[in-house]
Amino acid sequence: MVRKGPGPAVAAHLCARAPRALRQKKMDGTEDFKIQKMDVDQSPTSQEIDTDEDNGNLNELALALVKSAVNAAVKTVAEEEKPIKNIKWITHGEFTAERGHKQIEEFILTWEYQNCWVHYTEFIEREDLVHSYHYIYCVRWSIPTAKRPMPQVTASAYFTIKITKNKPPDMPIEVFYIFEGLSFVHRPGMTRFQEKWLRDIIEAKSILMESIPF
């Protein structure tokens, strides 16, 4: 027995639906593909993340450089408006240990510090070296109070006046100084005095004394 296929009306109906179904499936697939593609495009890659981090680091570095440049410019302007003070130092031919003492006192008057500080200067020794003499002076600083008019803790600055043996008498003396416990060598007119240096020395000594039982 031979099965008959669908009639002409049914076949026409199926043929009419088939292309629509195929087209619908194709459109649905295309839409799914587009959505998936959009999701992939929106997700940042590791390279993009690295680039963003690099840009952030560069921005931070640039801001730090700008800030440093601005601070340096402000400091330069401040130094030009308020130059570091110095005195006219005597010559080799004019020098004596007593005159050196007076010159150090005169130089300290150019420093800026609060009135609560007191100091006194004393000549320590003369070192006879091969080509020069070194005259050593000590300037002791303290903050006396009504409770302790004689403070137990002081901060010292050590001045050295160098007299070169073979220099002409009209050449100025050489002067440099350091603060107690610090190795940096200062020269008059080159660095600006900071009261904080003395306070740091006093504070460090006070902490040390408090830690020692008596």
Side-chain angles (χ1 to χ4, degrees):
M1 180 178 179
V2 179
R3 294 186 59 183
K4 295 182 178 179
V10 176
H13 178 69
L14 292 176
C15 290
R17 290 185 58 187
R20 189 181 298 119
L22 292 174
R23 286 197 299 269
Q24 184 65 35
K25 185 176 180 180
K26 183 177 181 180
M27 290 176 64
D28 291 344
T30 303
E31 288 179 359
D32 292 340
F33 175 76
K34 287 183 178 179
I35 293 173
Q36 185 178 4
K37 184 177 182 182
M38 289 176 63
D39 292 339
V40 171
D41 291 342
Q42 289 177 351
S43 300
T45 64
S46 60
Q47 183 176 2
E48 290 173 344
I49 294 174
D50 293 341
T51 302
D52 291 340
E53 291 180 353
D54 292 341
N55 291 337
N57 294 336
L58 289 174
N59 290 336
E60 292 179 1
L61 178 60
L63 290 174
L65 292 174
V66 170
K67 184 177 180 180
S68 177
V70 170
N71 291 337
V74 171
K75 183 178 179 181
T76 302
V77 171
E79 290 179 350
E80 290 179 354
E81 294 178 351
K82 193 175 182 181
I84 301 174
K85 296 179 181 179
N86 199 359
I87 66 171
K88 183 178 180 180
W89 295 90
I90 58 178
T91 63
H92 279 63
E94 298 169 333
F95 177 80
T96 64
E98 181 60 26
R99 285 184 176 179
H101 182 283
K102 291 181 179 180
Q103 286 245 282
I104 292 172
E105 286 290 328
E106 181 183 355
F107 173 66
I108 289 176
L109 290 177
T110 66
W111 291 358
E112 295 182 1
Y113 51 88
Q114 296 183 11
N115 294 330
C116 60
W117 289 96
V118 296
H119 74 276
Y120 69 94
T121 304
E122 61 178 337
F123 173 67
I124 302 298
E125 63 176 337
R126 186 188 79 165
E127 296 180 351
D128 188 355
L129 305 180
V130 177
H131 300 293
S132 62
Y133 297 107
H134 284 189
Y135 289 78
I136 313 297
Y137 301 81
C138 179
V139 184
R140 302 188 187 278
W141 296 81
S142 61
I143 303 178
T145 61
K147 186 177 180 180
R148 287 188 175 181
M150 297 294 292
Q152 295 180 335
V153 180
T154 62
S156 299
Y158 294 94
F159 281 77
T160 299
I161 296 179
K162 179 181 177 181
I163 304 298
T164 305
K165 296 178 180 179
N166 59 356
K167 274 193 174 181
D170 59 346
M171 293 295 294
I173 59 176
E174 296 182 49
V175 183
F176 51 90
Y177 57 98
I178 62 173
F179 287 90
E180 180 181 3
L182 303 175
S183 60
F184 186 81
V185 178
H186 301 266
R187 296 186 182 277
M190 300 299 293
T191 55
R192 190 185 304 277
F193 170 75
Q194 297 184 30
E195 183 180 336
K196 182 180 182 299
W197 299 337
L198 300 178
R199 292 191 179 275
D200 288 346
I201 296 172
I202 295 290
E203 182 180 357
K205 283 187 171 182
S206 299
I207 294 174
L208 180 61
M209 290 186 65
E210 291 175 359
S211 65
I212 300 176
F214 291 99

